[in-house]
Amino acid sequence: MTPRRARAAGRDLEMRQRIAEEAARLIATEGLRDYGLAKRKAAQRLRAPETRNLPANREIEAALVRYQALFQAERHAATLQRLRRIALEAMRFFAPFSPRLTGSVLSGTASEYSDVNLHLFAETPEEVVFHMQQHGLPYTEDQRRFRFERNGPQRPYPVLRFVVSDTPVEAVIFPVDGIRQAPRSARDGRPMDRASLARLTRLMEPAGEEGGTPS
């Protein structure tokens, strides 16, 4: 590599890192949830809107972890614990549907703007709706699309949205056998990490460590 190309590569890497750090700050402080939007907005703020050297989502998530540890350590820990308590409460309510926690509340990158994301498993969506109605809980219905194979088609699944202690909760309803295979994350294309009630309980223990095999 020539010296000129080496300098250009160094500048590209520096800009990529700066965009990742600014995108992480936007997610942590302004509540942006879409990583693609966050990186584009970060590039604009850094006066590089035309750059093609945008960081990957995993780079933004790593920058977000660093930002939260450096600038929001105590507040972030308290927020995460509060959101996990809400998730625990919701999962106990949905116990008949083998609930699984996913998303930022599980990964530990959640902020005060984050939703609690659950996956439920039922013979029919109506079973879950009836469960909500039996307990007189208000909710709205929607759909989300998920992909299970890397290049496979996206399929729609019903979603129930409701609020617990001023925090939005989103529950996606999958068929019973959907518990065997997690859908792929829109952020990195990998199967989503999902935690059972038992695993979440272990996460919330004082040491915050999981023992044994995740369930």
Side-chain angles (χ1 to χ4, degrees):
M1 181 182 293
T2 65
R4 178 178 294 180
R5 287 186 177 179
R7 288 193 296 272
R11 288 194 297 270
D12 286 346
L13 178 59
E14 181 183 1
M15 178 56 70
R16 186 184 183 99
Q17 291 171 338
R18 290 178 63 196
I19 291 172
E21 290 167 0
E22 177 63 11
R25 189 191 68 79
L26 291 171
I27 292 167
T29 63
E30 297 188 14
L32 291 187
R33 300 177 187 178
D34 185 318
Y35 277 34
L37 175 60
K39 69 178 78 173
R40 291 191 297 272
K41 192 169 183 179
Q44 289 176 345
R45 291 195 175 185
L46 294 171
R47 299 182 180 179
E50 303 301 323
T51 183
R52 296 181 181 179
N53 198 31
L54 293 174
N57 290 341
R58 64 179 179 276
E59 295 174 74
I60 295 175
E61 187 154 23
L64 178 58
V65 170
R66 292 193 299 271
Y67 184 93
Q68 290 171 329
L70 185 60
F71 298 107
Q72 299 178 327
E74 289 187 14
R75 187 174 72 182
H76 175 250
T79 297
L80 185 60
Q81 191 71 0
R82 180 182 67 82
L83 291 171
R84 285 178 171 172
R85 283 198 299 268
I86 290 170
L88 196 68
E89 179 182 347
M91 292 173 77
R92 285 171 175 160
F93 173 76
F94 285 122
F97 307 106
S98 305
R100 296 293 187 267
L101 175 65
T102 189
S104 61
V105 177
L106 174 59
S107 70
T109 58
S111 72
E112 59 191 295
Y113 304 101
S114 298
D115 295 351
V116 172
N117 302 110
L118 301 179
H119 290 180
L120 309 179
F121 307 91
E123 294 289 346
T124 66
E126 288 75 19
E127 291 181 52
V128 184
V129 170
F130 182 66
H131 187 69
M132 296 284 287
Q133 292 174 343
Q134 268 191 317
H135 291 82
L137 298 178
Y139 63 90
T140 60
E141 297 184 61
D142 201 351
Q143 283 191 341
R144 280 193 62 189
R145 302 181 73 85
F146 291 90
R147 177 179 284 117
F148 286 82
E149 304 299 333
R150 184 172 293 277
N151 297 312
Q154 289 188 329
R155 303 170 189 167
Y157 292 90
V159 173
L160 299 182
R161 292 193 173 96
F162 54 99
V163 175
V164 177
S165 300
D166 297 323
T167 296
V169 179
E170 177 187 271
V172 184
I173 307 170
F174 294 93
V176 171
D177 62 0
I179 201 168
R180 299 175 185 171
Q181 181 182 8
R184 291 184 176 270
S185 168
R187 290 182 180 171
D188 60 16
R190 299 175 181 174
M192 291 181 172
D193 189 18
R194 301 196 292 198
S196 66
L197 184 59
R199 181 179 166 196
L200 177 59
T201 301
R202 291 196 298 271
L203 270 176
M204 295 180 67
E205 291 173 354
E209 297 179 355
E210 299 179 50
T213 303
S215 56

